[in-house]
Amino acid sequence: MTGRPTLAVVGATGAVGAVMLQILSQHKDIWGEIRLVASPRSAGRKLAVRGEQVEVVALSEEAFDGVDIAMFDVPDEVSAQWAPIAAAKGVVVVDDSGTFRMDPGVPLVVPEVNPHAVRVRPRGIVAGPHCTTLSMIVALGALHAEFGLRELVVSSYQAVSGAGRAGVETLRAQLSLVAGTELGTSPGDLRRAVGDRTGPFPEPVALNVVPWAGEPREDGWSSEELALRDETRKILGLPRLPVAVTCVRVPVVTAHALTVHARFEDEITVDRAREILATAPGVVLYDNPLAGEFPTPADVVGTDPTWVGRVRRALDDPTALELFVCGDNLRKGAALNTAQIAELVAAEFS
Ligand SMILES: NC(=O)c1ccc[n+]([C@@H]2O[C@H](COP(=O)([O-])OP(=O)(O)OC[C@H]3O[C@@H](n4cnc5c(N)ncnc54)[C@H](OP(=O)(O)O)[C@@H]3O)[C@@H](O)[C@H]2O)c1
């Protein structure tokens, strides 16, 4: 087929979908029709994309008629049901959910790291990684390409929008419940102030940190911790990479941060690591602590790159680096990566 491909955005009304519509309006316009799809609850709503108001249609088989590429920004179970239906109609699906990421028949793609993987898609589906993986993998991929990664130890500081609109609404509601109160003096005072308004989180997240993200898995792990390990291994092609990870939710609206201890094959120098990070596509090195310069979620929200600061050689291991990494979980962590994959696929249509 030649000409401009038709694109469907499935989940256009969600947290990721809203950012996707901005990105589609800002990036070079390579698309023919852009069709907006969501649940029947949203059918008939109008949303702006490329400066036009477009009516949302309900998800159905017919919604994929004439579509070449469909981005899926919907819950896992919706992707599980509908991505194969779209693929069976010849649509190339770019899925942002967790459903297909570890499927051996589905490539897991980060265009700055493994763009070649997009071409082999036996199920007609390409997946993008989880937002926490994506918030560090571009910087890590650049370092791995030169130094050869051997081990990772990661802690995340994850924003509430990683749990979708419900996460953001929960933090906002909790902040208004605690405003003006004197909390932080006795156990349980925050719990009492927030009551049952914990939304998708197991504990109050306003004025707190919660060492849990995702669903329970075996042996005390959370699904998001396992996702970070498994996805990093798949993207970098390192199936036995040792990864230790703890995922933590913090009261930030958008932009995930991670501390990373990365051990490489041989001794590394911080100067060379800085050069790599300063020139890697999609990475910004912002690292001058004496001048108060390091990335924080408040600085990087709404931006595209992976920001890296606090680059140090590990105190007790000359083969390891310590980094602080920060990125917008709704942009590179979700919508931007999906848009970049769709653009790679669209290039096949020209
Ligand atoms: N938030 C992040 O940082 C992030 C990062 C990476 C990946 N993701 C993944 O991206 C996906 C979307 O996340 P989100 O944060 O944008 O969630 P969200 O804000 O809850 O939005 C969910 C979207 O899915 C639609 N939807 C729900 N049920 C549907 C159904 N039965 N049929 C059709 N559409 C349906 C919703 O439409 P209505 O408005 O009509 O209900 C809405 O557009 C999830 O798989 C998530 O894991 C999220």
Side-chain angles (χ1 to χ4, degrees):
M1 184 213 141
T2 55
R4 291 179 159 220
T6 294
L7 174 73
V9 182
V10 186
T13 52
V16 177
V19 176
M20 184 63 81
L21 300 191
Q22 287 171 19
I23 288 173
L24 289 169
S25 305
Q26 291 160 351
H27 278 205
K28 183 169 176 235
D29 185 13
I30 58 165
W31 304 106
E33 182 192 350
I34 295 183
R35 199 170 298 168
L36 306 185
V37 184
S39 80
R41 296 179 288 276
S42 302
R45 266 184 72 186
K46 289 201 168 157
L47 299 174
V49 61
R50 297 187 295 190
E52 288 168 17
Q53 292 292 315
V54 177
E55 190 166 312
V56 176
V57 299
L59 182 54
S60 68
E61 264 199 73
E62 298 72 56
F64 297 105
D65 286 348
V67 170
D68 299 298
I69 300 172
M71 300 163 164
F72 273 62
D73 302 308
V74 289
D76 289 3
E77 64 280 9
V78 182
S79 280
Q81 182 184 352
W82 287 93
I85 293 173
K89 293 188 78 159
V91 177
V92 179
V93 172
V94 184
D95 186 51
D96 211 9
S97 80
T99 308
F100 301 102
R101 289 173 183 148
M102 295 314 297
D103 185 324
V106 174
L108 184 62
V109 177
V110 181
E112 294 88 342
V113 182
N114 62 344
H116 50 277
V118 83
R119 291 194 293 268
V120 185
R121 38 176 196 262
R123 297 194 60 187
I125 300 171
V126 182
H130 187 268
C131 48
T132 315
T133 312
L134 266 172
S135 298
M136 65 164 197
I137 198 74
V138 178
L140 212 56
L143 293 169
H144 168 60
E146 174 142 341
F147 294 143
L149 189 62
R150 283 293 168 266
E151 186 181 4
L152 263 187
V153 182
V154 175
S155 290
S156 72
Y157 305 76
Q158 295 179 217
V160 294
S161 61
R165 273 179 319 196
V168 178
E169 283 157 16
T170 299
L171 177 60
R172 294 222 164 101
Q174 291 180 355
L175 285 174
S176 65
L177 288 168
V178 301
T181 59
E182 282 198 25
L183 294 169
T185 54
S186 62
D189 57 5
L190 181 60
R191 197 54 152 111
R192 281 190 290 280
V194 164
D196 60 2
R197 302 287 294 272
T198 53
F201 310 118
E203 288 290 329
V205 70
L207 308 181
N208 207 6
V209 295
V210 181
W212 187 263
E215 305 303 321
R217 294 290 183 264
E218 269 179 28
D219 299 327
W221 293 98
S222 78
S223 56
E224 299 206 3
E225 289 163 345
L226 298 188
L228 185 135
R229 180 189 68 156
D230 296 344
E231 294 172 15
T232 300
R233 288 173 162 186
K234 183 170 176 178
I235 296 160
L236 298 182
L238 297 171
R240 279 180 288 283
L241 181 74
V243 179
V245 50
T246 302
C247 287
V248 180
R249 192 76 65 183
V250 296
V252 165
V253 176
T254 295
H256 288 351
L258 302 99
T259 56
V260 176
H261 170 93
R263 186 169 63 76
F264 299 96
E265 274 167 24
D266 296 308
E267 266 194 38
I268 39 92
T269 68
V270 168
D271 284 348
R272 183 63 194 133
R274 280 179 197 280
E275 276 171 23
I276 294 167
L277 293 167
T279 52
V283 178
V284 174
L285 179 66
Y286 186 59
D287 187 24
N288 185 359
L290 296 184
E293 290 178 359
F294 27 69
T296 71
D299 297 323
V300 315
V301 62
T303 69
D304 286 347
T306 302
W307 295 72
V308 185
R310 306 293 328 276
V311 181
R312 291 147 292 155
R313 195 156 85 162
L315 285 174
D316 301 313
D317 184 350
T319 68
L321 278 177
E322 314 288 353
L323 314 166
F324 186 75
V325 185
C326 215
D328 186 317
N329 53 295
L330 297 176
R331 288 187 77 89
K332 184 59 188 171
L336 175 63
N337 197 67
T338 305
Q340 289 173 313
I341 296 172
E343 287 164 4
L344 281 180
V345 176
E348 299 171 15
F349 286 73
S350 54

